[in-house]
Structure formats: structure tokens, C-alpha cells
């Protein structure tokens, strides 16, 4: 081989080696960005929600809310194509943990979002910490000690009850009966109400002065519990139920001996597809939530219009919070891309620097200590809205999360 040929051969070898090194580095950095109109490499997002079991309707709305944001933003977040991997949380930790494990360890997602139940959140967080990927929860939020990689676009599980307790105390001339499902989410939701209700001077009508718990998820007949309420001196009832349990509770309540006793609830009792299933039995129920479909702001008008173009019913808080999770990722990925590489670490850092989010619920921002929203809560009443019943916003109740 001539000296010229050997020189050319060595040059080709160095070029091939350099190219191989670039490919290896790219694979190692996962979702790191590159320049150009394509917005860099694809970011893989794991969406874990209940697509079966008690909270299937909640999880379906969460999935559709995230997908709606993608559909209305060209399938990209922060200029990057998104590979959305959806997994079924089921009814709680026994099914949520293996599904999350697959997302994190086999699918190797860059971000995890969704999760319906507080117990499921606690079960999957060790995976998040170990993998050092951001978790943007979009439903129930239990208390978490280490929030380095934990963010939420929803609420703490005790906040709905906390937001409405003072109003119930002021509107009710006598004791209130508290009832809910016997699992972590129910405990958190009812604790928020009973603690704040006590501070507001309220008294529980329950015989032992404590919340009555119904077995979860097996309770379908609430008649015995309504008999206990009727035998008490309750002037009102406060409850937390969702999904199929909410349908059963409301329908049976309307035909029970306590049908005329005012019913207050965390908004999930009448939220989403459960309301049409409940029908007129739900009319007049007051609930508390961080969202109502009739809120008057530009972001909500666009959200509702986009949602109703694809769905026959108004959007829910579940859809909204997941939509907002996508919005948070959109802004965070764009910021990480502008500042340098897009990796799970840089996305996580960017989330903490976002500031105020323009949302269908109204403006909100992350509390820097808890990584949960500082947001308004609203009182709603089930009323006729045209030919259908709807959760109509009545008034602001409180701003929590600060």
C-alpha cells in the first residue's frame, strides 16, 4: 500500500471511530438535544394511569388530557417529538408497581407522569428516586418526604376537604356526618375535612366522633350506612367517593331516608362520566374542586373547546391536571433545550424554574418546598345546564398550597 493510500486509510478509520463515539455518547445521554428545526431527539414519557378497575374513568380522562395537549401541539413538547408510553395502574400498588417498573427499567422513560391513587404514588416513588427521573403526578398527592424529583399538577389529598370545611361549618346548623372509603386516599381526603372542620368549630355527627369508613373497593351497598346517618342527629353529610362507588353512593342516597339531608363532597363524587350515570339523583349536591368547566378565562375556553371537539362531555379536573402536566413538560423541555442538553436531570431542574403556569383552572405555580400547586379552590353545585346536569361554579373558597 502506498504512503498516500495508507494516509487515506488512517483518515477513514479516524472518521469512522469518531462517528462511532458520537453515536455511543448520544445513546448514553438518552434524550439530549441537538440543533435544527427537528427539535432534537425524542423524549420518552411514561404515563401511568388506571385504565381498569374502580378508577378507570379517572385514568381514562388523565390519559386523554395529556394526549389532547400533544394533539394540539403537533405531538411535540418543547420542540421535541414525544414517545408516549401508556401503562395501566389498575386499582393500586399491586398492579401499579409492576407497571411502573416496566416503564422505568425496561422502557427507560425519561419522565414519569399520571398516577391516580396516593398509595400507588408511594409505591412507585422509590423507582423514581433510584432512576433519578422527574415524576409529574397529575392526581392524588400524598405527603412525600423527599421531593427532589417529585412534582404535582393536582393537589394534596387533604386539600379538597380543607378548602370546603369552613363553608360547611358556616352553612350547617348542627353536626355533620363524615364518611369515606377505607384506604389511604380516603383517609387523606377525610382527614383534611375533619381537621379543618374541627378548627372551624364544627362537630361530627358520627357516633364515636370519628369518620365512618366503608371497605374499599368492595362496598356497593351503602344502605346500612345511610340508616346509621338517619339515626344520628346529622344536619349534613360530607363524603369522598369517586368512580363506580360515587355512582352507587349518590343513587342510593337519593332514595334513602336521608335524601333531604344536604350532601357536601370532594368534587370527585360528581366529576366526569359519573355525573350522567347518576342523573337527577345528583342534582343539588355541593362539591369542592380546583376546577370547573365553566371557569371564565382564555386558557379554559380553549381547553374546553378543544376537549369537546373530541368528547361528548365537558372536561374534568383529571383531564385538566394531566393537560397541565404536559404543559409543564412543554415549558421545561424548551427551557432545558435553550440552556443546553435535554436530559431527565435538566428537565427536572427546569421545572423548578418555571414560575407561574397559565392554566384552565386559572394561574398557579409550584410551591418551591412541596412542589405542589399554589391554587384556588371552588365551590360547585350540580345544576341543570341546558339539557344536561353540570357542576356549576358557585364561588371561590380558598387558595391553598402556599
Amino acid at each position: 500500500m502506498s504512503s498516500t493510500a495508507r494516509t487515506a486509510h488512517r483518515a477513514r478509520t479516524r472518521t469512522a471511530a469518531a462517528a462511532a463515539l458520537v453515536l455511543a455518547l448520544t445513546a448514553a445521554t438518552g434524550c439530549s438535544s441537538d440543533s435544527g428545526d427537528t427539535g432534537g431527539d425524542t423524549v420518552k414519557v411514561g404515563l401511568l394511569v388506571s385504565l381498569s378497575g374502580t378508577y378507570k374513568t379517572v385514568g381514562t380522562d388523565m390519559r386523554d388530557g395529556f394526549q389532547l395537549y400533544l394533539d394540539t401541539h403537533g405531538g411535540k413538547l418543547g420542540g421535541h417529538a414525544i414517545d408516549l408510553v401508556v401503562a395501566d395502574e389498575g386499582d393500586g400498588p399491586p398492579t401499579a408497581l409492576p407497571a411502573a417498573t416496566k416503564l422505568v427499567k425496561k422502557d427507560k422513560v425519561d419522565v414519569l407522569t399520571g398516577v391516580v391513587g396516593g398509595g400507588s404514588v408511594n409505591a412507585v416513588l422509590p423507582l423514581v428516586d433510584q432512576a433519578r427521573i422527574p415524576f409529574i403526578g397529575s392526581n392524588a398527592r400524598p405527603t412525600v418526604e423527599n421531593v427532589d424529583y417529585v412534582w404535582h399538577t393536582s393537589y394534596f389529598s387533604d386539600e379538597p376537604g380543607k378548602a370546603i370545611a369552613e363553608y360547611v361549618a358556616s352553612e350547617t346548623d348542627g353536626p355533620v356526618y363524615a364518611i369515606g372509603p377505607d384506604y389511604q386516599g380516603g383517609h387523606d381526603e377525610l382527614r383534611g375535612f375533619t381537621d379543618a372542620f374541627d378548627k372551624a368549630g364544627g362537630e361530627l355527627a358520627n357516633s364515636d366522633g370519628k369518620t365512618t369508613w366503608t371497605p374499599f373497593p368492595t362496598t356497593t351497598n351503602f344502605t346500612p350506612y345511610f340508616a346509621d346517618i338517619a339515626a344520628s342527629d346529622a344536619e349534613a353529610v360530607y363524603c369522598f367517593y369517586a368512580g363506580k362507588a360515587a355512582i352507587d353512593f349518590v343513587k342510593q342516597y337519593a332514595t334513602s331516608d336521608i335524601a333531604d339531608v344536604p350532601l357536601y363532597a370532594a368534587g370527585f363524587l360528581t366529576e366526569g362520566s359519573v355525573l350522567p350515570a347518576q342523573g337527577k339523583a345528583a342534582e343539588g349536591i355541593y362539591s369542592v374542586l380546583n376546577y370547573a368547566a365553566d371557569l371564565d378565562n382564555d386558557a379554559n375556553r380553549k381547553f374546553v373547546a378543544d376537549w369537546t371537539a373530541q368528547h361528548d362531555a365537558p372536561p374534568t379536573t383529571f383531564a385538566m391536571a394531566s393537560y397541565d402536566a404536559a404543559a409543564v413538560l412543554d415549558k421545561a423541555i424548551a427551557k432545558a433545550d435553550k440552556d443546553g442538553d435535554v436530559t431527565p436531570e435538566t428537565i427536572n431542574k427546569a421545572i423548578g424554574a418555571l414560575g407561574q403556569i397559565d392554566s384552565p383552572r386559572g394561574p398557579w405555580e409550584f410551591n418551591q418546598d412541596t412542589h405542589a400547586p399554589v391554587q384556588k379552590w371552588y365551590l360547585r353545585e350540580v345544576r341543570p345546564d341546558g339539557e344536561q346536569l353540570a357542576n356549576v361554579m358557585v364561588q371561590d373558597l380558598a387558595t391553598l398550597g402556599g
Side-chain angles (χ1 to χ4, degrees), residues 29-279:
T29 56
C31 60
S32 61
S33 63
D34 54 31
S35 59
D37 295 335
T38 62
D41 295 338
T42 296
V43 177
K44 185 174 284 191
V45 177
L47 177 63
L48 179 65
V49 290
S50 296
L51 299 176
S52 63
T54 304
Y55 295 135
K56 178 181 178 180
T57 57
V58 175
T60 300
D61 276 3
M62 291 167 66
R63 179 198 63 193
D64 292 351
F66 197 97
Q67 187 63 55
L68 179 65
Y69 193 95
L70 286 178
D71 291 344
T72 54
H73 290 77
K76 295 183 177 182
L77 299 177
H80 286 247
I82 298 299
D83 180 5
L84 184 64
V85 186
V86 181
D88 185 8
E89 173 187 346
D91 260 335
T95 46
L97 183 56
T101 301
K102 178 181 179 296
L103 287 173
V104 173
K105 294 189 174 182
K106 183 176 181 180
D107 297 318
K108 298 189 182 302
V109 297
D110 302 303
V111 179
L112 183 66
T113 187
V115 188
V116 174
S120 297
V121 172
N122 285 333
V124 305
L125 284 187
L127 284 170
V128 171
D129 290 337
Q130 183 182 30
R132 300 177 69 86
I133 62 173
F135 168 59
I136 307 176
S138 51
N139 201 51
R141 165 71 187 269
T143 300
V144 178
E145 289 186 9
N146 180 11
V147 296
D148 289 348
Y149 289 88
V150 179
W151 308 87
H152 260 74
T153 60
S154 52
Y155 47 84
F156 278 108
S157 300
D158 64 350
E159 287 184 324
K162 187 183 297 185
I164 198 175
E166 186 173 345
Y167 177 86
V168 174
S170 67
E171 292 292 315
T172 306
D173 186 20
V176 173
Y177 198 98
I179 184 170
D182 190 9
Y183 77 109
Q184 181 175 334
H187 300 166
D188 292 343
E189 293 281 348
L190 269 298
R191 184 190 68 248
F193 174 77
T194 55
D195 287 356
F197 188 63
D198 180 66
K199 289 179 181 178
E203 178 187 356
L204 291 185
N206 305 62
S207 59
D208 59 357
K210 298 178 181 179
T211 298
T212 295
W213 303 112
T214 59
F216 175 85
T218 57
T219 303
T220 58
N221 179 16
F222 293 94
T223 303
Y225 299 100
F226 296 153
D228 290 342
I229 297 172
S232 74
D233 56 353
E235 294 294 328
V237 174
Y238 181 82
C239 75
F240 159 74
Y241 289 101
K244 184 181 182 301
I247 298 172
D248 294 336
F249 187 93
V250 168
K251 282 189 167 184
Q252 293 169 30
Y253 193 100
T255 59
S256 72
D257 291 340
I258 59 170
D260 293 333
V261 177
L263 178 57
Y264 298 91
F268 323 109
L269 185 72
T270 58
E271 186 74 350
S273 62
V274 301
L275 183 55
Q278 292 160 346

Side-chain angles (χ1 to χ4, degrees), residues 164 167 171 262-271 275 278-289 291-295 377-386 388-397:
I164 198 175
Y167 177 86
E171 292 292 315
L263 178 57
Y264 298 91
F268 323 109
L269 185 72
T270 58
E271 186 74 350
L275 183 55
Q278 292 160 346
K280 290 188 176 181
E283 192 167 355
I285 294 175
Y286 283 95
S287 68
V288 54
L289 211 53
Y291 177 69
D294 62 343
L295 289 176
W377 290 83
Y378 306 99
L379 179 70
R380 316 177 314 167
E381 183 184 11
V382 177
R383 300 175 181 171
D385 181 17
Q388 297 180 331
L389 289 174
N391 291 291
V392 177
M393 205 278 276
V394 177
Q395 66 178 65
D396 294 358
L397 285 174

